[in-house]
Amino acid sequence: MKKAIITVVGKDTVGILAKTCTYLAAAKINILDISQTVVQDYFNMMMIVDVSKCRKPFEAVAADLGELGLKMGLKIRCQKSEIFEKMHRV
């Protein structure tokens, strides 16, 4: 299984989860775990996803999600899980 970490941060609006999940489903990316919070109108979400069955190159997925975020006024970032873990090791 190839895992990736997706983070979404920005001003809360209607449809953030729906639009993000619609893209992931179309790309054959399975959500394994998800956590989201809204604090004083700011949305924060972290997803662990399985990209094993995705037909697009990882770089294209990361770019697509980044563009989707820009359209919604958010920052969406997608990282390979091994890079994320090394960056956040204590």
Side-chain angles (χ1 to χ4, degrees):
M1 181 182 315
K2 293 182 190 177
K3 293 182 185 177
I5 310 298
I6 298 172
T7 55
V8 181
V9 178
K11 193 85 167 148
D12 189 31
T13 60
V14 174
I16 295 171
L17 185 61
K19 290 175 185 175
T20 304
C21 291
T22 298
Y23 173 84
L24 296 176
K28 304 291 184 208
I29 297 172
N30 188 39
I31 299 168
L32 301 173
D33 200 355
I34 185 171
S35 172
Q36 72 176 37
T37 58
V38 178
V39 178
Q40 294 186 2
D41 295 328
Y42 288 94
F43 181 86
N44 184 24
M45 178 169 64
M46 180 175 169
M47 302 171 132
I48 300 172
V49 297
D50 178 5
V51 294
S52 300
K53 295 181 182 174
C54 182
R55 298 178 187 140
K56 291 185 173 189
F58 183 83
E59 293 75 16
V61 170
D64 288 349
L65 287 169
E67 283 185 38
L68 179 63
L70 286 175
K71 289 177 185 174
M72 292 189 286
L74 306 165
K75 175 73 174 177
I76 301 180
R77 191 164 183 195
C78 183
Q79 296 176 285
K80 293 181 180 179
S81 63
E82 54 270 11
I83 293 171
F84 184 87
E85 289 167 7
K86 288 181 182 178
M87 286 177 50
H88 293 89
R89 191 181 319 178
V90 177

